[in-house]
Amino acid sequence: MSLSSALEQLAIYRANNVRASQETFEHASVILKSAQQLGDDGWAVLEQLFLASVDIGRLDVADRCLKQLSDKFRDSPRVDVLAGIRMEATESTDVVLQYYGQLLEADPANAAVWKRKISVLRRTGKIDKAVEELSELLDTFYTDVEGWLELADIYTTCNRYSAALQALSHALLLAPQNPFYVLQFAETAYTAGDLPLALKTFLVVVDMCERDLDSPADKPPAGISLRAWMGIKLSSRRLMVNSHPSPSNTVIPKNLHLIEELATERVLAAYSSKGRKPEGRDVVVRWVGVA
Amino acid sequence: MLGVVLLFLATAAVLHAAFSTYEHLSHLKAIGRPEGSLPFDIVVEAVVALALGIIGASLNAPTLKEISWSAEMRKRSIDEMDSRLGFASYVNRGNSLFAKPPTL
């Protein structure tokens, strides 16, 4: 593993918000072993290594990174957040919450510290307090997609699906080209029982994912596109059995049986590669109901 | 590879044409006729160098990347999009699973 490829991989992790802590730790160890001057990128890599080592329990490495960062950047709010994360790993929650409270008193607009506080509240079970604080954060910083997703996640774990759908709709407004959030919306709608809305949104996901393909009929669906086709099959099959009333007043499409047939064909196409039989093909064939 | 070779040839040809022009103009100055026109072959050499340079630069360009949103989203995963790193909990089983075992 060369230095430049490790740096490249870490840059990709930073850009895409990937939380691959074990891989980050290995890549960053390669970089630190070569002990070269890395320039501006070096501090970002050090922060990444700090978070990865706290995540996997190597607190010795984390302490060394934090010491270097706090020596270089004194009184930095970003380093204060990292110090708080280090405290979260070992200290009790009261100490950590007090520390975050002090930081927020000094600077009430520090969104990163606020998010850490909400994360601690959620982790220790104080969910209503977490939701209250998170709603206040989102009132202040509306464009925070991460916050809306976290709110939707909290509501989903409490089975409050309509509130989760509301939070997700804000995330959809803020990130309209992202099919992943639309898929989450569709699956939450399906779990909430609003099948026409789920079907419509699954179809939107398929449209978003296969929009640029020249002939989508030739390639088997992959990734979240396949997941969306399975969702279409699920919701259209149930809608054909008995038409559910939609709490969101979504209209059921007219050619429901055609959509269901298409979904069946697409799902089977994904599990019919020429050559060796794909794993799980028998299960899928039984599930789609083809004799 | 071919692109690099062509670019090299084009650079050499341009420099050679430039040097030939300089020499020719010095020659004209020396024989006392400073407004003579450039000989035809130097002009041809410069134009050929331009053509070779264009072809070499096009062949040497890095591979083209897709520009549509759907092509970009096809490379991502749900874990990346839903990571919510600002709210991530760093108190998890990873602390026990991956930590160095205590020395006995």
Side-chain angles (χ1 to χ4, degrees), chain A residues 16-189:
Chain A
N16 293 352
N17 290 331
V18 181
R19 189 183 172 175
S21 298
Q22 186 69 24
E23 288 86 0
T24 308
F25 189 77
E26 282 159 19
H27 289 307
S29 314
V30 166
I31 292 175
L32 288 181
K33 255 199 268 282
S34 46
Q36 275 180 10
Q37 287 299 94
L38 288 170
D40 298 318
D41 247 5
W43 303 110
V45 167
L46 213 50
E47 183 185 13
Q48 253 181 315
L49 175 59
F50 168 77
L51 291 172
S53 21
V54 174
D55 214 8
I56 68 173
R58 293 294 305 272
L59 295 176
D60 48 341
V61 177
D63 282 328
R64 288 212 305 264
C65 296
L66 186 57
K67 179 140 192 339
Q68 283 192 315
L69 283 167
S70 51
D71 283 339
K72 169 79 179 175
F73 304 103
R74 291 177 199 288
D75 295 331
S76 156
R78 206 161 145 178
V79 174
D80 287 336
V81 172
L82 296 182
I85 292 176
R86 175 67 186 83
M87 280 171 69
E88 279 180 43
T90 42
E91 314 279 342
S92 77
T93 45
D94 296 321
V95 173
V96 172
L97 282 174
Q98 196 188 33
Y99 175 66
Y100 286 145
Q102 278 172 355
L103 287 176
L104 280 175
E105 247 176 278
D107 179 16
N110 194 339
V113 173
W114 210 347
K115 288 189 195 182
R116 294 310 316 161
K117 179 174 171 201
I118 293 168
S119 158
V120 169
L121 286 172
R122 181 185 180 182
R123 178 169 48 90
T124 50
K126 307 191 182 78
I127 300 195
D128 12 343
K129 188 86 175 51
V131 167
E132 200 186 297
E133 294 268 339
L134 187 49
S135 310
E136 219 184 295
L137 174 86
L138 290 169
D139 276 337
T140 321
F141 300 101
Y142 177 76
T143 51
D144 196 358
V145 180
E146 207 179 55
W148 287 112
L149 290 177
E150 180 75 9
L151 188 61
D153 191 55
I154 295 178
Y155 279 138
T156 313
T157 53
C158 304
N159 299 336
R160 296 197 36 200
Y161 298 116
S162 42
L165 284 175
Q166 285 175 16
L168 277 173
S169 59
H170 288 283
L172 288 183
L173 268 180
L174 293 167
Q177 306 97 340
N178 198 321
F180 292 88
Y181 303 151
V182 186
L183 182 69
Q184 192 177 351
F185 189 93
E187 293 179 347
T188 314

Side-chain angles (χ1 to χ4, degrees), chain B residues 38-96:
Chain B
L38 267 187
F40 183 61
D41 46 346
I42 296 185
V43 174
V44 166
E45 187 177 4
V47 171
V48 165
L50 174 69
L52 281 181
I54 290 175
I55 300 176
S58 315
L59 290 173
N60 200 27
T63 49
L64 299 172
K65 290 191 265 210
E66 299 264 355
I67 58 169
S68 63
W69 271 106
S70 12
E72 176 63 28
M73 291 297 165
R74 221 168 282 139
K75 293 189 230 151
R76 309 291 193 91
S77 73
I78 292 184
D79 277 337
E80 283 175 30
M81 290 294 175
D82 203 32
S83 58
R84 293 175 264 131
L85 287 176
F87 297 95
S89 163
Y90 291 96
V91 175
N92 47 34
R93 289 169 293 180
N95 293 344
S96 328

Side-chain angles (χ1 to χ4, degrees), chain B residues 8-31:
Chain B
F8 179 71
L9 286 177
T11 316
V14 161
L15 290 175
H16 182 254
F19 189 66
S20 308
T21 314
Y22 167 71
E23 272 196 339
H24 188 255
L25 290 178
S26 313
H27 168 71
L28 288 182
K29 196 150 70 156
I31 64 174

